[in-house]
Amino acid sequence: MLSLQPSSCFRVALRPDLSSSDLALIRAAIAVLDLNGASMTTSASVQTSWDAGFRTMGYAHYDQALAMQELRLLFEGQWRNGLLPHLVFHHRRPGPSGIPGPLVWQAERSPFAPPLPTSGIVQPPLHATAAWHLYCHATDRAAARAFLVELFPQLIAWHHYLYRERDIDQNGLVYIRHPWESGQENSPLWDGAMQRICVTPDHMQRYQPADLSYLHHRHPSESDHNKGIYLVTQARRHDYDEATIRAEAPFLVQDVLFNALLVRANRDLAAIARLLKFDPTPFERWAEQTAIAMNEVLWCPEAGQYQSYDLVGHNPIAATVAANFAPLYGQVPSPFQAYQLVQQLATPAFRAAVVGTCGVPTCSREAQTFDGHQPWRGAIWLNLNWMLYQGLTCYGYSTEATQLRQASLILAKQGGLYESFHPDTGKGVGTNNSAGAAALMLNLLLDA
């Protein structure tokens, strides 16, 4: 093993086969993550739930203390009923770039809300996976184990919340009640369900944030964003009581990506339990139950892929998106199902046009909704590329996995540390110097 001494004075374990461009990308990624870590001590700090999970995995490669701090700070915002909010505002300030702030969420209406202001929705449950990744890469295993002892009850409470409050059919499938809970805010998956929502101008004059400058890359339209705010205020009006929200909600979806990550997180929670000498069986049962339900309810044999299910409209969502392949990451499909998914990933619908790359666009190129400028409607999304790389590796598709890894690295080296890239030009979409993208690059370079 080699070691890199970056300007931040942290040491990183490296493989000897890394190129000079790989080392340059590692330095750039560490610089972005260091800047993000420093920002957590400023008045602008706000954490996004699953981004914090990705950042934890990136920090774990070179700064164990910072990795542990990332999850500790996030779980300071956990509600007493176990809900882990998608936003935690550490200094009681509005969110950046027009993100709805504490005055919009008013989470304190819930009797379970924490002292810190937070949002009132969740994001995909990546956190047990991030915690286990932290331990596996720890240089101080004793400190990492002590950290897992500290976090373990909070992780259990988070998963308990999902199965207690979001598993409407008691079959292991949990639902999301807001499109923002999916981590894919503007995905075409939600178009049909969002059409059911009618928002009046008076409502939006009262509740939308003043700054809508971020809509161009996070939402397809201001109308779509307004409907998201409507769902927030509906939940707020019910004081975030899950049963009451569920009874009136126009949006309840059993999302493929969310449930696939939950299966993986349950298995990683079981690994943590075994390490700490607790019984892993409850978490293994959760993982198995959700995986079985995904194959029974969300698998579409005719399409040869998984499809999210609209609980309000009582129908599968037929949109062909790359998130439908996320069960590979959770190791949910049978070998034959995995083969079918891989065959579809190789079709022109999911191949990028960038010369020398084969990144996976988030939406089928053949769909009318395809838009390479939108992160979840056609752009190549590094989060999903990383998950699919992991899934392909697990199922033995090493050639495809290597191609996908190289594609992601090429995009970052040529285009910058963006979360998303246009599938035709390779240009970054959204904000550059993304801490989430930086973390994923470290994972791709140092975990492979």
Side-chain angles (χ1 to χ4, degrees), residues 45-301:
S45 64
V46 55
Q47 280 181 295
T48 305
S49 175
W50 80 325
D51 286 345
F54 285 118
R55 289 193 297 268
T56 295
M57 290 190 278
Y59 290 135
H61 287 289
Y62 73 99
D63 190 329
Q64 182 176 327
L66 205 52
M68 293 189 295
Q69 173 182 275
E70 185 75 43
L71 285 182
R72 272 200 187 101
L73 287 173
L74 179 69
F75 275 86
E76 285 181 3
Q78 185 172 31
W79 292 22
R80 287 187 293 276
N81 64 351
L83 181 150
L84 189 63
H86 98 298
L87 293 175
V88 179
F89 302 93
H90 289 284
H91 292 277
R92 301 182 181 275
R93 303 287 181 87
S97 303
I99 292 174
L103 291 178
V104 175
W105 297 100
Q106 297 180 25
E108 66 275 8
R109 287 172 173 258
S110 170
F112 302 110
L116 277 177
T118 73
S119 65
I121 61 175
V122 303
Q123 273 192 327
L126 186 70
H127 311 91
T129 298
W132 181 242
H133 184 274
L134 185 162
Y135 177 80
C136 291
H137 290 80
T139 53
D140 184 345
R141 285 292 179 92
R145 189 182 189 282
F147 174 70
L148 292 182
V149 170
E150 169 191 336
L151 194 65
F152 188 54
Q154 293 174 281
L155 290 169
I156 294 174
W158 168 215
H159 288 217
H160 262 302
Y161 161 81
L162 290 172
Y163 285 105
R164 183 183 66 249
E165 302 291 352
R166 301 296 190 96
D167 183 2
I168 191 171
D169 295 322
Q170 295 293 295
N171 65 351
L173 286 180
V174 305
Y175 66 78
I176 58 175
R177 54 173 166 82
H178 197 297
W180 301 350
E181 292 193 319
S182 69
Q184 312 165 76
E185 288 95 329
N186 73 354
S187 172
L189 286 168
W190 323 130
D191 290 353
M194 295 299 273
Q195 287 176 2
R196 290 193 288 262
I197 301 173
C198 180
V199 180
T200 66
D202 176 67
H203 180 93
M204 295 321 303
Q205 285 179 359
R206 294 170 58 195
Y207 294 121
Q208 77 175 356
D211 179 10
L212 298 178
S213 61
Y214 66 111
L215 289 183
H216 69 285
H217 72 272
R218 297 197 72 85
H219 302 276
S221 68
E222 185 173 333
S223 172
D224 185 73
H225 173 264
N226 290 347
K227 291 178 180 182
I229 295 294
Y230 170 81
L231 291 174
V232 169
T233 57
Q234 181 192 51
R236 188 182 77 189
R237 186 174 69 251
H238 295 309
D239 298 332
Y240 295 101
D241 178 75
E242 295 290 351
T244 310
I245 295 170
R246 184 165 54 244
E248 294 188 10
F251 184 100
L252 296 175
V253 174
Q254 291 167 328
D255 176 40
V256 168
L257 176 62
F258 197 103
N259 280 277
L261 289 175
L262 181 56
V263 173
R264 175 64 178 265
N266 280 323
R267 290 178 177 148
D268 290 326
L269 192 56
I272 293 171
R274 280 191 291 271
L275 174 74
L276 302 182
K277 308 301 182 185
F278 289 103
D279 182 8
T281 305
F283 317 118
E284 292 169 341
R285 285 175 178 166
W286 273 342
E288 186 67 14
Q289 182 185 24
T290 301
I292 289 172
M294 290 187 71
N295 284 325
E296 290 180 347
V297 179
L298 303 186
W299 175 255
C300 177

Side-chain angles (χ1 to χ4, degrees), residues 366-421:
E366 298 169 355
Q368 291 183 345
T369 54
F370 178 84
D371 182 351
H373 295 284
Q374 294 285 346
W376 300 281
R377 300 178 85 86
I380 296 170
W381 190 31
L382 285 184
N383 291 16
L384 194 54
N385 268 15
W386 175 78
M387 292 178 210
L388 294 179
Y389 162 72
Q390 297 279 338
L392 290 167
T393 301
C394 289
Y395 280 91
Y397 291 95
S398 56
T399 299
E400 292 82 356
T402 299
Q403 289 176 340
L404 191 51
R405 175 180 179 271
Q406 290 302 318
S408 300
L409 295 176
I410 289 170
L411 288 171
K413 290 174 182 179
Q414 296 180 351
L417 289 170
Y418 287 84
E419 286 183 323
S420 303
F421 296 86

Side-chain angles (χ1 to χ4, degrees), residues 301-317:
E302 294 77 17
Q305 62 182 262
Y306 293 86
Q307 295 179 344
S308 297
Y309 190 83
D310 182 346
L311 288 167
V312 177
H314 304 289
N315 59 270
I317 299 174

